[in-house]
Amino acid sequence: ESLINVQLAKQKLKAFGLSDEEVMHLISEENPDLSLYLVRSPFAGTVIMRHVTQGEFIENTKTIFEIADLS
């Protein structure tokens, strides 16, 4: 059962966009800091609006940045 839970946790992290390397890094740390997240954009662009402040709790459905291609 614990192995299934580990696999499910890995799949969830990958669904959030973490690479295999990032997942393995979290696994290898004794006490990983899960309060810091790397935010990736689905495309290259410029941040035109920020809807979040550092340290704020957010749900995974909230829009935190707006990105635009200004070229």
Side-chain angles (χ1 to χ4, degrees):
E1 187 176 328
S2 63
L3 291 175
I4 291 170
N5 289 334
V6 169
Q7 287 293 45
L8 288 172
K10 285 180 184 179
Q11 289 175 353
K12 286 181 182 180
L13 291 170
K14 286 184 163 192
F16 281 119
L18 273 72
S19 67
D20 288 332
E21 182 180 292
E22 291 167 322
V23 171
M24 293 310 296
H25 178 72
L26 285 174
I27 291 170
S28 68
E29 287 188 29
E30 188 171 318
N31 291 313
D33 184 0
L34 300 178
S35 64
L36 300 176
Y37 298 95
L38 179 63
V39 178
R40 294 189 180 103
S41 172
F43 58 89
T46 303
V47 175
I48 58 170
M49 187 157 302
R50 183 176 74 174
H51 301 281
V52 68
T53 58
Q54 187 174 359
E56 178 181 352
F57 175 79
I58 58 170
E59 297 288 332
N60 63 350
T61 57
K62 180 178 179 178
T63 300
I64 56 175
F65 293 106
E66 291 183 31
I67 311 292
D69 182 359
L70 301 178
S71 61

